[in-house]
């Protein structure tokens, strides 16, 4: 700060107050803008821009060194797609100011340690890669970089640490080699050979039980679905075989070789990987998504092979561009299409493959799903002559491979495709997919088409969807989403409760009160009254049926009408659905009334959970009940279940947050008391204040325990029902000599995987309970394998 003040005071000898306060911030903003924008399209060459910027920064170093250091460290972490541009800039500054180069290296190591400490492992990879490329710019000495990588590889020798920890350090090392492998090998070939030998030894002994759970396709044809470290290792081996020559990384520092080779180099400060702690959360393993190869674009430039390092570099950079710009779809699309070297590669194919790789990534995509839809639409607008054709080709490929596609990925494919079609007047060559019409409706292709049309209807209306698909597809077209009211037909007057339903209809239309409704429902006979169970009197299924059928029928006009009806007669619902059986029966009736309108069912169930008419466990039991067996593999059923689980999780988090905030308030009060402990009166008043807070904390702790117990119970119910259904199927197939792997079995076992993956952070809290109560050694190996794959994800 003293240097800056000195500089300001002596500025042209005129201490204008306004200039003194505004000029530094203006200069800092200008420096930030210059650094962030270097490497973008410009009339001048990249080399002259870098040289000019290095001159500007060198002149500003005396006054703005800390700001320049901070900006450069930030872009190294957050703009990895311009990695070599910034390493060249740092190299030029180091050649001009050796001390600044040393300070930058130290700042980068500090930032790397901080990232690892707070579990920012993706950013840490970019920092390691940046440091390694500084070797090419003669900023860091090659031997000290090799020493750092030796420390990384030594993590694989640690005992009692998760495999994912070793994996990350191995990935950080291997993924830097496309940039720096040649330089390190020239300087330290024996040490590098030893490191690669240790790497191979580790990769051979590591467990890969988790792989099937993360694969988009179960089949390895036409493209193998490789585990990410195995794939990267094959790419590095090929790079080594090619004498570390790669042809795709932009290397602007080569133009400044005569300047940079004269610069003094720095040794990295000693770096020891921070030890593993209970709070360490490492990135999950991945499977590399492959969709295209060189045969898919015979006319354009050749696509690099799956084991060429160029494929890795291109994909890494495209992923980085998406990560940097995903909130601005127009910018993101423009940046992807202006990727350097786009005339040497089939860029559209790479972009589409990378976007689908992110969309289908398991357990979850890096960004919200709708972003990928909007990004692809934007890309189609910017490249109307070429990108839509590549996208159509990709869609056709995905459709052809549906038989072996993971169910979770099929869900995302349905969501993306229906949303995409809605932006292009639902135009598609449906006749090309007529092969699905001759298949069993439970097979993946007809199921996919049916679900897509169902989703399209949500984004349009029924008649529009009927009009856009050929008549031959009528078997897969969505049903007319009308309410089925069984008391509305004269022919059903013999049904029990028919007359009560008529009375109820008139009463509701005349704005009857809750008491009047209860009075009318009193006349409904109870089919359970002969049961021995004393609770039979409280649960009257017919009463629920008459009331819920009639109310939903009268409120069938829109979602809003239905919500108003639930709100107005909330007390009636709560009374009728007091018991667990009552809650289950309310859900059964909702299904009976709206079975032709899945979206209405999903929305009503959601509202009923929010208003506590039904609870989460009731929804789970209803989904696995025999009444829903016909729709068990339908998309909307799992939409409801996942939404229910998320609501339960949010409820627990909300109460937990309240508890933590109240504890923090109490701690602040204690702190104030400690600072004012001379004042006795103040002490007594603080004691009085403590009382209510301590009581509140006690109440909240009870609520948290109760909510967590409810949450655990929900997962136990879900997994128990899965195990029962799958076990019944396996026994039935075994005794009947039938093949186990039916379309239903594939769907069910992959839905079980989906529950584990989508809610993995919560489920991990209850692993011991699940292992002891449900996923025991006696369980059939088909089902147990899913649990073991899940355990291996963070092992």
């Amino acid at each position: 700060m003293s240097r800056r003040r000195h500089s300001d005071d002596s500025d042209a000898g005129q201490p204008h107050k306004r200039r003194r306060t505004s000029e530094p911030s203006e200069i800092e903003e200008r420096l930030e803008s210059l650094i962030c924008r270097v490497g973008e399209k410009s009339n001048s060459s990249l080399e002259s821009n870098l040289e000019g910027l290095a001159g500007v920064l060198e002149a500003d170093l005396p006054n703005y060194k800390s700001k320049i250091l901070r900006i450069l460290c930030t872009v190294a972490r957050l703009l990895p797609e311009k990695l070599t541009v910034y390493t060249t800039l740092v190299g030029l500054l180091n050649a001009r100011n050796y001390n600044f180069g040393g300070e930058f290296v130290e700042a980068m190591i500090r930032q790397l340690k901080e990232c690892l400490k707070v579990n920012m492992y993706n950013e840490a990879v970019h920092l390691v890669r940046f440091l390694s490329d500084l070797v090419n710019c003669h900023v860091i000495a090659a031997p000290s970089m090799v020493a750092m990588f030796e420390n990384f590889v030594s993590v694989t020798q640690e005992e009692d640490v998760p495999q994912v920890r070793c994996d990350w350090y191995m990935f950080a090392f291997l993924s830097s080699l496309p940039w720096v492998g040649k330089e390190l090998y020239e300087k330290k070939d024996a040490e590098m050979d030893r490191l690669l030998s240790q790497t191979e030894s580790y990769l051979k002994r590591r467990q890969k039980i988790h792989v099937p759970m993360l694969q988009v396709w179960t089949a390895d044809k036409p493209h193998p679905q490789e585990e990410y470290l195995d794939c990267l290792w094959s790419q590095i081996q090929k790079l080594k075989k090619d004498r570390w020559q790669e042809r795709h990384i932009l290397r602007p520092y080569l133009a400044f070789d005569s300047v940079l080779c004269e610069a003094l180099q720095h040794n990295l400060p000693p770096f020891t990987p921070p030890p593993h702690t209970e709070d360490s959360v490492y990135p999950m393993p991945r499977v590399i998504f492959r969709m295209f190869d060189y045969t898919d674009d015979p006319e354009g430039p050749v696509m690099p092979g799956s084991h060429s390092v160029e494929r890795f570099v291109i994909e890494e950079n495209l992923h980085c561009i998406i990560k940097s710009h995903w909130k601005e779809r127009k910018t993101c699309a423009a940046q992807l299409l202006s990727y350097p070297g786009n005339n040497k590669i089939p860029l559209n194919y790479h972009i589409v493959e990378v976007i689908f790789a992110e969309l289908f990534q398991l357990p979850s995509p890096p960004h919200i799903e709708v972003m990928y839809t909007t990004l692809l639409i934007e890309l189609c607008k910017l490249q109307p002559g070429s990108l839509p054709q590549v996208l159509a080709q990709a869609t056709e490929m995905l459709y052809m491979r549906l038989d072996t596609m993971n169910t979770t990925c099929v869900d995302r494919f349905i969501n993306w495709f229906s949303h995409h079609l809605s932006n292009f007047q639902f135009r598609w060559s449906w006749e090309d997919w007529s092969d699905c019409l001759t298949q069993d409706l439970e097979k993946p292709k007809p199921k996919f088409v049916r679900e897509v049309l169902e989703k399209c209807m949500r984004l349009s209306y029924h008649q529009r969807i009927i009009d856009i698909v050929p008549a031959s597809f009528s078997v897969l077209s969505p049903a007319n989403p009308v309410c089925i009211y069984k008391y509305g037909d004269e022919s059903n007057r013999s049904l029990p409760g028919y007359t009560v339903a008529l009375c109820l209809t008139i009463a509701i239309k005349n704005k009857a009160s809750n008491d009047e409704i209860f009075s009318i429902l009193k006349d409904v006979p109870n089919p359970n009254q002969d049961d021995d169970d004393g609770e039979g009197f409280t649960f009257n299924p017919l009463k629920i049926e008459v009331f819920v059928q009639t109310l939903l029928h009268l409120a069938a006009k829109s979602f809003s009408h239905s919500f108003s009806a639930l709100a107005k007669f909330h007390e009636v619902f709560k009374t009728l659905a007091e018991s667990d059986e009552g809650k289950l029966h309310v859900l059964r009736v909702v299904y009976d009334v709206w079975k032709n309108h899945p979206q209405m069912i999903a929305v009503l169930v959601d509202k009923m959970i929010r208003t506590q008419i039904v609870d989460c466990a009731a929804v789970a039991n209803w989904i696995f009940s025999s009444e829903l067996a016909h729709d068990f593999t339908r998309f909307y059923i799992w939409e409801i279940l996942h939404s229910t689980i998320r609501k339960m999780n949010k409820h627990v988090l909300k109460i937990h947050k309240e508890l933590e905030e109240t504890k923090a308030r109490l701690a602040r009060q204690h702190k104030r008391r400690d600072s004012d402990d001379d004042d006795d009166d103040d002490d007594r008043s603080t004691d009085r204040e403590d009382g209510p807070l301590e009581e509140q904390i006690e109440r909240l702790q009870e609520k948290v325990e109760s909510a967590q117990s409810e949450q655990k119970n929900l997962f136990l119910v879900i997994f128990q029902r899965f195990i029962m259904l799958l076990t019944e199927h396996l026994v039935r197939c075994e005794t009947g000599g039938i093949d186990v792997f039916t379309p239903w079995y594939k769907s069910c076992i992959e839905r079980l995987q989906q529950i584990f993956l989508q809610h993995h952070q919560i489920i991990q809290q209850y692993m011991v309970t699940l292992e002891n109560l449900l996923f025991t050694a006696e369980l059939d190996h088909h089902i147990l394998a899913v649990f073991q794959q899940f355990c291996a994800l963070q092992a």
Side-chain angles (χ1 to χ4, degrees):
M1 288 297 288
S2 58
R3 281 202 300 272
R4 188 175 296 177
R5 279 201 300 273
H6 171 75
S7 158
D8 292 339
D9 291 340
S10 63
D11 184 26
Q14 305 212 358
H16 298 294
K17 280 189 181 178
R18 182 183 281 252
R19 264 187 93 179
R20 194 158 59 237
T21 52
S22 65
E23 193 180 72
S25 63
E26 283 172 17
I27 291 175
E28 286 177 5
E29 281 172 24
R30 184 175 63 89
L31 289 173
E32 191 167 327
S33 173
L34 285 171
I35 293 171
C36 290
R37 290 173 61 189
V38 71
E40 291 177 9
K41 278 191 176 177
S42 151
N43 295 328
S44 311
S45 69
L46 174 59
E47 286 75 16
S48 65
N49 285 341
L50 281 169
E51 197 161 14
L53 180 57
V56 169
L57 295 180
E58 185 195 9
D60 282 322
L61 275 180
N63 302 321
Y64 300 101
K65 189 200 289 181
S66 60
K67 178 70 177 176
I68 292 168
L69 274 172
R70 194 160 61 249
I71 298 169
L72 287 174
C73 284
T74 304
V75 294
R77 182 167 54 85
L78 298 180
L79 295 177
E81 63 272 23
K82 293 203 283 186
L83 165 78
T84 55
V85 173
Y86 291 122
T87 52
T88 305
L89 178 61
V90 172
L92 291 171
L93 285 170
N94 179 62
R96 297 166 186 227
N97 187 323
Y98 176 75
N99 288 338
F100 174 80
E103 286 182 52
F104 176 75
V105 170
E106 284 173 8
M108 284 287 285
I109 290 293
R110 277 198 304 276
Q111 189 177 210
L112 174 59
K113 286 177 179 174
E114 189 56 39
C115 281
L116 294 174
K117 189 176 163 188
V118 295
N119 295 320
M120 291 168 64
Y121 287 97
N122 291 330
E123 284 86 348
V125 164
H126 301 150
L127 295 176
V128 173
R129 211 171 285 167
F130 195 98
L131 288 168
S132 69
D133 200 49
L134 288 178
V135 174
N136 295 319
C137 302
H138 296 269
V139 177
I140 291 174
S144 73
M145 195 73 228
V146 172
M148 184 176 182
F149 285 148
E150 282 172 342
N151 286 340
F152 278 26
V153 173
S154 70
V155 170
T156 62
Q157 306 299 322
E158 291 176 354
E159 292 180 1
D160 299 324
V161 295
Q163 180 174 287
V164 280
R165 170 178 166 83
C166 306
D167 285 356
W168 184 83
Y169 282 98
M170 196 52 77
F171 178 74
F173 163 53
L174 289 176
S175 66
S176 300
L177 293 182
W179 281 263
V180 76
K182 186 169 186 273
E183 190 74 14
L184 296 185
Y185 229 83
E186 283 175 2
K187 303 272 172 48
K188 289 279 182 180
D189 57 339
E191 288 85 345
M192 286 299 293
D193 275 331
R194 190 169 64 249
L195 280 177
L196 292 175
S197 169
Q198 288 171 342
T199 300
E200 186 170 29
S201 166
Y202 169 69
L203 293 176
K204 279 179 180 172
R205 70 174 186 268
R206 68 192 279 266
Q207 296 289 327
K208 284 181 278 190
I209 302 166
H210 58 274
V211 172
M213 200 173 225
L214 300 176
Q215 286 178 319
V216 174
W217 288 292
T218 51
D220 269 347
K221 287 184 179 178
H223 306 298
Q225 303 298 301
E226 293 179 285
E227 214 267 353
Y228 80 121
L229 276 181
D230 288 346
C231 184
L232 179 56
W233 176 240
S234 299
Q235 289 164 333
I236 295 302
Q237 281 183 306
K238 186 174 184 304
L239 179 63
K240 185 188 175 194
K241 193 178 169 187
D242 295 342
R243 298 175 181 277
W244 303 96
Q245 297 293 329
E246 66 72 44
R247 294 173 293 281
H248 198 81
I249 296 174
L250 178 73
R251 298 185 187 268
Y253 38 77
L254 295 176
F256 300 102
D257 194 51
S258 58
V259 177
L260 297 177
C261 69
E262 297 294 320
L264 292 170
Q265 293 174 307
H266 304 268
N267 285 319
L268 282 168
F271 180 84
T272 307
H276 172 68
T277 66
E278 283 184 7
D279 298 327
S280 302
V281 181
Y282 303 98
M284 274 200 179
R286 292 174 289 117
V287 169
I288 299 298
F289 178 82
R290 286 278 178 263
M291 193 173 179
F292 297 125
D293 61 23
Y294 67 95
T295 60
D296 295 311
D297 183 26
E299 293 169 14
V302 176
M303 179 175 256
S306 62
H307 284 163
S308 75
V309 85
E310 284 79 12
R311 187 77 167 256
F312 171 77
V313 170
I314 294 163
E315 287 169 356
E316 276 287 289
N317 286 333
L318 293 177
H319 283 302
C320 288
I321 290 170
I322 294 173
K323 190 180 178 189
S324 296
H325 305 287
W326 70 275
K327 290 180 182 174
E328 297 289 338
R329 66 182 191 280
K330 290 178 187 289
T331 309
C332 191
Q335 290 285 338
L336 287 169
L337 291 171
S338 60
Y339 179 68
N342 52 15
N343 56 338
K344 297 185 217 160
I345 54 170
L347 183 62
N348 287 345
Y349 283 86
H350 281 292
I351 289 172
V352 168
E353 185 175 70
V354 161
I355 290 173
F356 278 124
E358 289 203 4
L359 178 61
F360 295 144
Q361 186 176 310
L362 295 168
S364 55
H367 312 293
I368 55 170
E369 285 179 43
V370 74
M371 187 280 292
Y372 300 103
T373 314
T374 58
L375 179 57
L376 284 167
I377 291 167
E378 208 57 48
L379 287 162
C380 288
K381 286 181 190 171
L382 291 176
Q383 293 267 341
S386 57
L387 208 132
Q389 291 87 324
V390 177
L391 195 52
Q393 188 181 342
T395 307
E396 187 64 34
M397 285 178 168
L398 291 170
Y399 172 78
M400 294 308 291
R401 299 177 197 169
L402 277 170
D403 287 350
T404 59
M405 197 174 193
N406 184 295
T407 301
T408 303
C409 299
V410 175
D411 287 353
R412 294 180 199 167
F413 184 22
I414 290 164
N415 280 334
W416 165 75
F417 188 52
S418 54
H419 189 178
H420 186 81
L421 288 177
S422 73
N423 282 272
F424 295 94
Q425 290 86 48
F426 298 101
R427 287 198 301 266
W428 187 253
S429 47
W430 297 102
E431 288 87 354
D432 293 351
W433 288 356
S434 56
D435 62 320
C436 71
L437 300 173
T438 58
Q439 297 181 10
D440 173 3
L441 294 183
E442 281 300 306
K443 288 279 181 72
K445 285 181 183 176
K447 207 160 190 49
F448 168 77
V449 173
R450 181 186 180 184
E451 296 291 0
V452 164
L453 294 175
E454 178 78 57
K455 272 279 182 179
C456 286
M457 187 176 72
R458 290 193 189 187
L459 301 165
S460 180
Y461 54 93
H462 182 254
Q463 192 54 48
R464 176 81 193 277
I465 303 308
I466 299 301
D467 293 342
I468 62 164
V469 293
S472 56
F473 278 73
S474 60
V475 68
L476 300 176
S477 298
N480 193 11
V482 290
C483 164
I484 302 168
Y485 179 50
K486 72 177 185 181
Y487 300 112
D489 196 337
E490 283 279 327
S491 61
N492 287 341
R493 57 172 52 245
S494 59
L495 280 175
Y498 181 83
T499 51
V500 179
L502 291 181
C503 296
L504 210 52
T505 303
I506 295 163
I508 293 170
K509 282 181 177 176
N510 291 331
K511 299 185 167 38
S513 67
N514 285 338
D515 289 341
E516 288 170 305
I517 298 296
F518 281 126
S519 172
I520 295 166
L521 288 172
K522 240 192 256 174
D523 300 333
V524 178
N526 188 348
N528 290 343
Q529 62 193 7
D530 296 332
D531 290 357
D532 295 331
D533 187 358
E535 285 188 20
F537 293 101
T538 59
F539 165 57
N540 185 336
L542 188 55
K543 204 180 266 193
I544 290 172
E545 198 143 334
V546 171
F547 172 70
V548 178
Q549 279 257 354
T550 306
L551 186 66
L552 292 183
H553 165 65
L554 291 172
K557 193 172 181 181
S558 69
F559 293 136
S560 303
H561 285 77
S562 298
F563 290 169
S564 297
L566 292 183
K568 185 174 181 185
F569 297 103
H570 185 257
E571 188 190 336
V572 181
F573 272 108
K574 289 286 281 182
T575 305
L576 293 177
E578 197 175 354
S579 66
D580 289 346
E581 267 299 319
K583 291 179 177 67
L584 207 51
H585 204 68
V586 166
L587 292 165
R588 287 188 194 116
V589 180
V590 170
Y591 174 73
D592 289 339
V593 174
W594 284 117
K595 64 174 68 168
N596 288 333
H597 196 341
Q599 187 181 12
M600 182 62 93
I601 296 174
V603 167
L604 286 176
V605 171
D606 181 273
K607 194 70 175 174
M608 285 178 166
I609 294 171
R610 284 174 193 271
T611 53
Q612 297 178 352
I613 292 169
V614 299
D615 56 33
C616 296
V619 174
N621 278 313
W622 167 66
I623 281 171
F624 288 94
S625 65
S626 55
E627 291 89 350
L628 245 67
H630 180 262
D631 276 9
F632 185 71
T633 58
R634 291 287 306 278
F635 179 92
Y636 81 94
I637 291 291
W638 302 97
E639 212 174 18
I640 291 171
L641 185 60
H642 286 294
S643 169
T644 303
I645 296 170
R646 280 196 298 273
K647 265 185 199 51
M648 183 78 251
N649 297 346
K650 278 182 185 173
H651 173 61
V652 174
L653 279 174
K654 186 184 167 196
I655 302 170
H656 197 270
K657 190 181 173 189
E658 278 178 44
L659 175 62
E660 292 306 313
E661 285 171 356
T662 312
K663 282 181 177 176
R665 268 210 318 276
L666 184 63
R668 282 198 298 274
Q669 281 192 172
H670 286 172
K671 198 173 176 184
R672 273 204 307 275
R673 181 199 301 166
D674 292 343
S675 61
D676 297 337
D677 56 2
D678 294 338
D679 189 341
D680 290 341
D681 292 338
D682 196 337
D683 234 13
R684 281 194 293 276
S685 69
T686 313
D687 281 341
R688 283 196 297 275
E689 281 176 37
D690 280 0
L693 275 182
E694 281 166 354
E695 284 170 25
Q696 195 181 343
I697 287 170
E698 210 170 299
R699 280 197 306 274
L700 283 170
Q701 272 170 336
E702 283 172 17
K703 280 177 81 175
V704 166
E705 283 166 21
S706 168
Q708 283 178 333
S709 171
E710 210 179 319
Q711 184 183 51
K712 188 201 284 188
N713 182 53
L714 175 63
F715 282 116
L716 286 171
V717 167
I718 292 168
F719 289 129
Q720 189 176 34
R721 300 306 292 266
F722 261 119
I723 290 168
M724 284 163 64
L725 277 179
L726 286 163
T727 306
E728 283 168 20
H729 170 80
L730 293 166
V731 170
R732 199 163 50 244
C733 290
E734 201 176 316
T735 52
I738 312 163
D739 183 19
V740 167
F741 300 98
T742 62
W744 181 91
Y745 172 78
K746 179 183 182 295
S747 174
C748 190
I749 202 86
E750 288 180 359
R751 289 294 178 190
L752 174 59
Q753 287 180 345
Q754 186 183 44
I755 298 289
F756 273 119
L757 284 175
Q758 285 201 12
H759 311 283
H760 63 95
Q761 287 162 320
I762 308 294
I763 294 172
Q764 267 161 356
Q765 300 170 29
Y766 306 123
M767 291 286 277
V768 176
T769 308
L770 290 174
E771 194 168 3
N772 292 338
L773 293 183
L774 297 177
F775 295 95
T776 56
E778 295 78 45
L779 197 61
D780 185 284
H781 69 94
H782 293 89
I783 309 169
L784 193 57
V786 176
F787 183 69
Q788 289 167 342
Q789 287 162 15
F790 174 69
C791 294
L793 282 176
Q794 291 283 2

